[in-house]
Amino acid sequence: MGRMLEPEEIVEEIEAFFQPKLLTGKRVLVTAGPTEEPIDPVRSITNASSGKMGYAVARAAREAGARVTLISGPVSLPAPAGVERVGVRTAEQMLEAVQQAAAASDVFIAVAAVADYRVRNRAAQKIKKGAGGMTLELTENPDILAQVAAMKNPPFCVGFAAESEKLAENARAKRAKKKVPLLAANVVQEALGAEDNEITLFDDDGEHPLGRGSKLELARKLVAHIAGMLAGAKRSRAKA
């Protein structure tokens, strides 16, 4: 109280004011960043992710008038203004946080680069370096998006796919496997850690290239597409 906002925050609020309020009254749940799976108290395995795309999506949803909860793995990014952030480290912690919030959410956007595996034989103490190698036994992590999509009354689910090849083929297969209405896909080599990205959306109507732009610009286009799909579903229910 009594302290002026930082200039960056003022600019962010001004930009938000002029964005179309396409998700007013909606609750949006977003995951972002990587997860870290401990090997011992000082080592871990993870997926490379800056969290920038997920944070941009959370900001864009909030700009569109939604009430946004952001469940984030360990990243060095400030939470977008007006967004509730929940910090987690592991995939299991992220799943637990998502489960607590999913039932009350209208939209779930799974942007996080969740580690596919965790260490089964995690050491309680630091493993000392020996003369030979080290063997880790890995077990598969839970599929957070698939679990939310399989709920009795799931929110509108949006997945993200970071592919290194065959973008369209792999994205369509992932959307079918996860059973989600919308999936955003990009080439991981071009997006990782960068300020810009190129995304293509996949839904029942086919492919929708969003072009190349800043991650915030693409996040706003994604939010607009989601809002259009929600409006279309509402009109269909009204006709039925």
Side-chain angles (χ1 to χ4, degrees):
M1 183 68 68
R3 183 169 179 262
M4 192 182 82
L5 292 173
E6 295 298 325
E8 295 83 359
E9 294 178 285
I10 295 174
V11 171
E12 190 172 323
E13 289 294 342
I14 292 171
E15 289 182 350
F17 178 82
F18 289 103
Q19 296 303 314
K21 300 299 179 275
L22 303 174
L23 294 179
T24 297
K26 301 295 185 183
R27 290 175 177 259
V28 176
L29 178 63
V30 181
T31 62
T35 64
E36 291 182 351
E37 311 301 329
I39 296 171
D40 62 20
V42 299
R43 302 181 182 92
S44 63
I45 58 175
T46 187
N47 279 348
S49 171
S50 67
K52 292 176 182 178
M53 191 70 233
Y55 275 59
V57 169
R59 174 178 169 178
R62 188 258 175 174
E63 289 178 344
R67 181 175 175 180
V68 181
T69 299
L70 172 64
I71 299 175
S72 175
V75 298
S76 56
L77 297 171
V83 170
E84 177 189 359
R85 179 173 61 181
V86 178
V88 297
R89 183 185 182 195
T90 69
E92 291 181 312
Q93 290 170 352
M94 183 171 283
L95 173 63
E96 182 180 357
V98 167
Q99 288 175 330
Q100 291 176 1
S105 300
D106 300 294
V107 179
F108 173 51
I109 311 175
V111 193
V114 181
D116 294 314
Y117 298 93
R118 66 182 183 276
V119 178
R120 185 188 296 273
N121 53 329
R122 175 183 173 184
Q125 304 298 328
K126 179 182 176 181
I127 301 171
K128 298 299 182 182
K129 184 177 179 180
M134 179 174 64
T135 300
L136 296 177
E137 185 180 357
L138 303 179
T139 186
E140 194 169 351
N141 267 326
D143 188 326
I144 298 173
L145 176 59
Q147 288 199 26
V148 174
M151 291 170 55
K152 185 176 181 180
N153 295 300
F156 182 90
C157 289
V158 182
F160 263 73
E163 303 294 342
S164 61
E165 61 177 355
K166 300 179 181 178
L167 182 70
E169 179 183 337
N170 289 332
R172 285 192 290 265
K174 184 171 183 176
R175 190 175 85 90
K177 180 181 178 182
K178 306 282 187 178
K179 299 180 181 179
V180 296
L182 179 63
L183 188 131
N186 63 264
V187 177
V188 67
Q189 299 95 313
E190 300 176 2
L192 191 60
E195 297 300 328
D196 64 348
N197 198 356
E198 185 171 357
I199 287 177
T200 301
L201 304 182
F202 295 82
D203 59 20
D204 286 345
D205 293 327
E207 300 179 23
H208 310 273
L210 299 185
R212 175 165 290 277
S214 72
K215 290 183 176 179
L216 180 57
E217 178 186 352
L218 295 177
R220 287 168 176 162
K221 290 181 179 180
L222 169 64
V223 164
H225 192 91
I226 292 169
M229 292 184 72
L230 291 173
K234 184 176 181 180
R235 287 193 294 270
S236 296
R237 288 195 299 268
K239 290 180 180 178

